[in-house]
């Protein structure tokens, strides 16, 4: 039995997420190849790479939406194993924002935000409502609280999804291509919301193609291809002189 | 006109048959829905033998004439297990429920397939467990989608119920026949039965439409 704390690390408390030699296969196809990553509390990390490179799979492993098959993932001191108590504990600490929002269409914006706090954290409806309004204010959409998701624009829905995740007061937020499904004119409002979150010190892992966002807020850019992390770099260097050949090829393709 | 008036006069004579039909179909519908949920759960369980059993059951029920099922349960099974006489009414409930469960499970499966993507992941990512996912997120969305077709299935079930008169159940249809035999009026009792069936099935689809609008209110633009 391995212990749940990574060995030989001086400032252990500062590590929010650690991935150690994580691998995953779909059938015979290896989507993640010995991925190592440490995310410290308050760090903002952007994960870039071509489609099919395993970036989404990697962050989806962090809240057990997908299961890794070898290696270790430790989130806030809790190791992800098939023990459901650990999985539940991790999911309480980790919020996720999806490409397609995944709001619940049968619930109002407010109910979307209070569902998990009431049922998972056992908050009273009054407390949950208060928290929800606080975060809906933060994403500047409190005036729409009593509408249904279908009545809002894509950008508004994604901001609600961010507020919904924040209502669980997570220690880490994962973003899985949060702006990829949006009309171009909606992208800005969502990115602005994410920038404000970053300024508040939220620990963030973002899979995104928004390189402007990466430059503006990321502490580190992780470049992945074919299931491997090929480069970890500060944004300025990653964009001006990427070290890896495939990172250069990728950047030349997405920056016009 | 004479026949219509005759039919109206006959309606009170058929009410005990109507009560039997209502009782059998009401119980059978509830059991069928419970059964359908179990079948859907079995098919989603991911356990090979359970999935396979549920699939075979649905295929058998969909391919089996309900008359045969009724005869099997009323004559065949008691003979096989030496049960003696069994209650025709309960056999009727069971037969309709077994048949209805298979068809209703297909309705539910279709409705679940029509749910927007990502609802399960969205709920799990927020920390909801599987029970909460179904209770709070999926079922409230499946119901309005499934309701019209479920109401249709209950309509089919009601229309299949006269078959039970073959095993001595005095349902609405059988009662109408009895009245005909006593009054020598070949048309009035049947017209009256038509009217009552029509009212019953019509009110079910009306209730389902009402519930459907209630459940979906405000959800989309």
């Amino acid at each position: 039995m391995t212990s749940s704390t990574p060995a030989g690390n001086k400032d252990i408390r500062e590590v929010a997420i650690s991935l150690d030699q994580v691998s995953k296969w779909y059938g015979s196809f290896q989507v993640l190849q010995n991925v190592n990553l440490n995310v410290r509390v308050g760090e903002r990390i952007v994960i870039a790479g071509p489609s099919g490179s395993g970036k989404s799979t990697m962050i989806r492993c962090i809240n057990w939406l997908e299961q890794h098959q070898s290696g270790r993932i430790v989130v806030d001191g809790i190791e992800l194993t098939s023990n459901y108590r650990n999985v539940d504990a991790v999911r309480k600490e980790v919020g996720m924002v999806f490409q397609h929002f995944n709001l619940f269409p049968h619930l109002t914006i407010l109910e979307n935000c209070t569902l998990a706090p009431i049922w998972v954290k056992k908050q009273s409806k009054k407390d949950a409502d208060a928290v929800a309004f606080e975060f809906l204010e933060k994403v500047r959409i409190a005036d729409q609280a009593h509408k249904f998701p279908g009545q809002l624009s894509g950008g508004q829905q994604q901001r609600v999804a961010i507020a919904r995740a924040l209502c669980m007061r997570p220690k880490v937020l994962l973003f899985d291509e949060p702006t990829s499904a949006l009309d171009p004119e909606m992208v800005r409002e969502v990115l602005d919301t994410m920038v404000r979150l970053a300024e508040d010190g939220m620990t963030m892992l973002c899979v995104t193609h928004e390189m402007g966002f990466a430059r503006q807020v990321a502490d580190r850019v992780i470049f992945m291809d074919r299931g491997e992390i090929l480069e970890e770099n500060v944004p300025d260097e990653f964009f001006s002189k990427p070290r890896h050949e495939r990172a250069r090829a990728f950047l030349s393709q997405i920056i016009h | 006109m004479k026949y219509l008036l005759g039919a109206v006069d006959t309606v009170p004579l058929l009410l005990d048959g109507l009560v039997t039909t209502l009782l059998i179909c009401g119980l059978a519908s509830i059991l069928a829905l419970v059964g359908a949920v179990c079948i859907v759960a079995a098919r989603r369980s991911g356990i090979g033998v359970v999935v396979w059993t549920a699939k075979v059951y649905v295929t058998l029920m969909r391919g089996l004439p309900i008359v045969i099922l009724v005869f099997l349960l009323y004559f065949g099974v008691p003979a096989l297990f030496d049960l003696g006489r069994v209650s025709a009414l309960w056999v009727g409930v069971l037969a309709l429920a077994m048949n209805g469960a298979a068809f209703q499970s297909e309705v539910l499966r279709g409705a679940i397939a029509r749910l927007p993507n990502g609802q399960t992941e969205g709920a799990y990512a927020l920390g909801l467990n599987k029970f909460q996912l179904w209770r709070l997120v999926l079922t409230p969305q499946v119901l309005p989608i499934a309701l019209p077709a479920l109401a249709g299935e209950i309509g089919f079930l009601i229309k299949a119920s006269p078959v039970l008169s073959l095993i001595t159940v005095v349902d609405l249809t059988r009662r109408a026949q009895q009245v005909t035999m006593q009054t020598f009026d070949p048309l009035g009792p049947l017209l009256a039965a038509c009217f009552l069936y029509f009212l019953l099935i019509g009110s079910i689809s009306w209730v389902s439409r009402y519930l459907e609008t209630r459940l979906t209110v405000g959800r989309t633009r």
Side-chain angles (χ1 to χ4, degrees):
Chain A
M1 189 66 207
T2 49
S3 99
S4 64
T5 47
N9 208 323
K10 277 174 289 181
D11 48 357
I12 179 70
R13 296 207 165 270
E14 291 293 308
V15 177
I17 303 170
S18 104
L19 282 75
D20 181 21
Q21 295 287 311
V22 170
S23 292
K24 177 175 175 61
W25 290 261
Y26 290 132
S28 61
F29 176 71
Q30 190 166 5
V31 270
L32 295 178
Q33 302 192 36
N34 301 320
V35 170
N36 291 303
L37 179 67
N38 278 310
V39 182
R40 289 175 191 286
V41 172
E43 252 193 318
R44 281 81 45 123
I45 292 180
V46 163
I47 302 154
S51 63
S53 59
K55 1 181 247 303
S56 288
T57 307
M58 182 180 81
I59 68 163
R60 288 158 58 86
C61 283
I62 294 171
N63 64 353
W64 203 247
L65 287 183
E66 310 237 12
Q67 287 86 51
H68 61 290
Q69 285 143 336
S70 73
R72 299 171 65 215
I73 301 178
V74 179
V75 181
D76 196 34
I78 310 160
E79 177 162 4
L80 273 172
T81 60
S82 50
N83 179 345
Y84 264 81
R85 216 169 284 166
N86 286 11
V87 173
D88 286 345
V90 165
R91 283 176 178 168
K92 276 186 206 170
E93 307 293 343
V94 178
M96 189 165 208
V97 176
F98 298 88
Q99 181 176 4
H100 295 285
F101 331 137
N102 298 7
L103 294 176
F104 306 130
H106 61 300
L107 301 177
T108 63
I109 300 311
L110 182 62
E111 289 165 340
N112 263 278
C113 292
T114 57
L115 187 77
I118 290 173
W119 287 86
V120 178
K121 285 199 151 178
K122 313 291 178 199
Q123 286 181 0
S124 71
K125 187 177 181 309
K126 192 164 153 262
D127 291 350
D129 281 356
V131 174
F133 270 109
E134 179 193 332
F135 286 114
L136 287 171
E137 290 287 353
K138 192 177 185 72
V139 302
R140 296 174 188 170
I141 207 153
D143 52 332
Q144 315 273 7
H146 297 290
K147 288 190 178 170
F148 287 86
Q151 294 168 300
L152 304 189
S153 73
Q156 290 174 318
Q157 289 190 52
Q158 194 59 298
R159 285 187 283 147
V160 171
I162 293 171
R164 180 176 74 169
L166 289 172
C167 284
M168 288 296 283
R169 299 198 183 275
K171 294 188 174 155
V172 180
L173 263 189
L174 308 174
F175 293 84
D176 190 1
E177 304 204 21
T179 56
S180 300
L182 296 175
D183 291 332
E185 72 271 26
M186 310 280 176
V187 170
R188 191 74 256 157
E189 58 185 270
V190 171
L191 289 179
D192 285 347
T193 307
M194 291 168 63
V195 170
R196 285 205 304 280
L197 274 180
E199 286 165 354
D200 290 349
M202 173 62 78
T203 310
M204 297 163 71
L205 256 83
C206 314
V207 172
T208 182
H209 296 298
E210 296 295 336
M211 292 303 133
F213 173 79
R215 265 180 200 276
Q216 192 180 347
V217 306
D219 298 309
R220 271 190 288 163
V221 177
I222 306 277
F223 176 76
M224 287 183 77
D225 194 14
R226 297 175 206 169
E228 287 178 288
I229 293 182
L230 294 180
E231 179 163 348
E232 275 188 61
N233 212 334
V234 291
D236 277 347
E237 277 188 35
F238 177 75
F239 291 112
S240 56
K241 32 183 193 305
R243 290 192 290 259
H244 200 281
E245 174 60 36
R246 272 185 260 161
R248 274 197 291 276
F250 173 73
L251 285 172
S252 71
Q253 273 166 344
I254 62 162
I255 296 171
H256 311 287
Chain B
M1 198 62 206
K2 187 183 80 181
Y3 286 118
L4 275 183
L5 285 176
V8 172
D9 286 343
T10 319
V11 165
L13 297 175
L14 302 183
L15 289 184
D16 51 345
L18 178 68
V19 169
T20 306
T21 292
L22 273 175
L23 181 72
I24 291 176
C25 293
L27 286 173
S29 302
I30 294 166
L31 286 177
L33 192 60
V34 173
V37 170
C38 295
I39 293 170
V40 171
R43 291 187 73 157
R44 299 176 65 91
S45 68
I47 305 165
V49 61
V50 177
V51 175
W52 186 83
T53 310
K55 274 188 187 173
V56 168
Y57 176 83
V58 171
T59 311
L60 274 180
M61 282 298 144
R62 298 213 311 173
L64 191 66
I66 196 151
V67 183
I68 304 285
L69 178 65
V70 168
F71 284 168
L72 277 175
L73 289 177
Y74 189 64
F75 300 116
V77 172
L80 191 66
F81 297 103
D82 213 8
L83 296 177
R85 262 184 83 80
V86 291
S87 154
L89 188 121
W90 285 106
V91 164
V93 170
L94 186 64
L96 293 180
M98 284 174 69
N99 182 272
F103 284 91
Q104 291 189 15
S105 79
E106 292 292 279
V107 170
L108 292 182
R109 217 162 59 90
I112 292 166
R114 276 179 54 193
L115 289 181
N117 289 327
Q119 295 290 298
T120 302
E121 289 187 344
Y124 280 161
L126 286 166
L128 270 67
N129 61 35
K130 197 166 190 171
F131 174 76
Q132 293 166 334
L133 163 76
W134 279 96
R135 150 108 169 66
L136 303 167
V137 177
L138 300 183
T139 307
Q141 297 185 63
V142 167
L143 276 185
I145 301 175
L147 256 176
L150 283 181
E153 290 300 334
I154 292 173
F156 276 117
L157 199 137
I158 292 169
K159 284 186 283 182
S161 66
V163 72
L164 301 179
S165 57
L166 292 173
I167 57 163
T168 74
V169 174
V170 184
D171 71 328
L172 181 52
T173 302
R174 182 71 188 135
R175 192 80 190 94
Q177 279 183 314
Q178 287 178 340
V179 173
T180 293
M181 282 186 277
Q182 280 162 8
T183 60
F184 301 109
D185 173 4
L187 197 57
L190 285 179
L191 284 178
C194 280
F195 169 73
L196 289 175
Y197 276 118
F198 190 73
L199 208 67
L200 191 54
I201 292 168
S203 53
I204 285 166
S205 50
W206 182 82
V207 169
S208 109
R209 271 201 298 275
Y210 172 76
L211 284 178
E212 196 192 342
T213 42
R214 275 288 304 271
L215 289 170
T216 39
V217 71
R219 194 171 301 179
T220 44
R221 213 183 287 265

